[in-house]
Amino acid sequence: MNWTDERVETLRKLWAEGLSASQIAAQLGGVSRNAVIGKVHRLKLSSRGRATAAPARQKKAQGAGGGKSVTRSATVTRTVTTSIGATALQQQFDAEPVARQYLRPVENVVVPISRRLQLVQLNERTCKWPNGDPLSEDFHFCGNDSAESGPYCTYHAKIAFQPASERRRSR
DNA sequence: CCCTGATTCGC
DNA sequence: GCGAATCAGG
């Protein structure tokens, strides 16, 4: 993929809106987040808020016989949204960098343990058990490590996958 | 573990 | 100019 004016324009826009490099890469499609970051730097439009301070690093002596196996499972080819000049596609990604301040300690209810969950990032390995009222600010997901390929952590899995007999009883 | 941006450097 | 690899931090 080459950086057409259109793509660069989209990049600038999304970056200005505060989307992360990986999210931008996902929308542009065909590029990695590194590519996006690299481009951002070349365009000299780096500063934006302040995600990870840049205290002038000066380390990099790589090369010299790497030594690592190539175990990078790329996450390319995601559901690339194809509406290009649209503004509508923006909505579904919507990475509101503000609303996260409503996150509060997860252990206010029955959940025994909780995990950091810096923001609402749900992965394949995070418990997706919803907690609280979706309409309330308290709402959040468990976020604990889910068991091997499971949607919930071991705790919530027990609740979610109740034996038929038991569930029948409480009805 | 997941993620973030920053930097370097071979291409 | 480009972006993978790497680094540094959350």
Side-chain angles (χ1 to χ4, degrees), chain A residues 26-29 78-84 88-90 92-93:
Chain A
Q27 287 199 27
L28 289 174
R78 196 159 284 178
T79 321
V80 180
T81 5
T82 29
S83 15
I84 295 185
L89 77 164
Q90 205 89 334
Q92 58 183 266
F93 279 84

Side-chain angles (χ1 to χ4, degrees), chain A residues 22-65:
Chain A
S22 62
Q23 289 177 308
I24 294 173
Q27 287 199 27
L28 289 174
V31 291
S32 64
R33 74 179 194 91
N34 284 315
V36 170
I37 292 173
K39 185 61 180 174
V40 164
H41 276 246
R42 263 170 261 125
L43 288 172
K44 291 176 172 285
L45 42 83
S46 181
S47 59
R48 174 196 54 167
R50 193 64 78 179
T52 300
R57 278 170 60 273
Q58 193 61 43
K59 288 183 179 177
K60 190 60 197 267
Q62 78 181 112

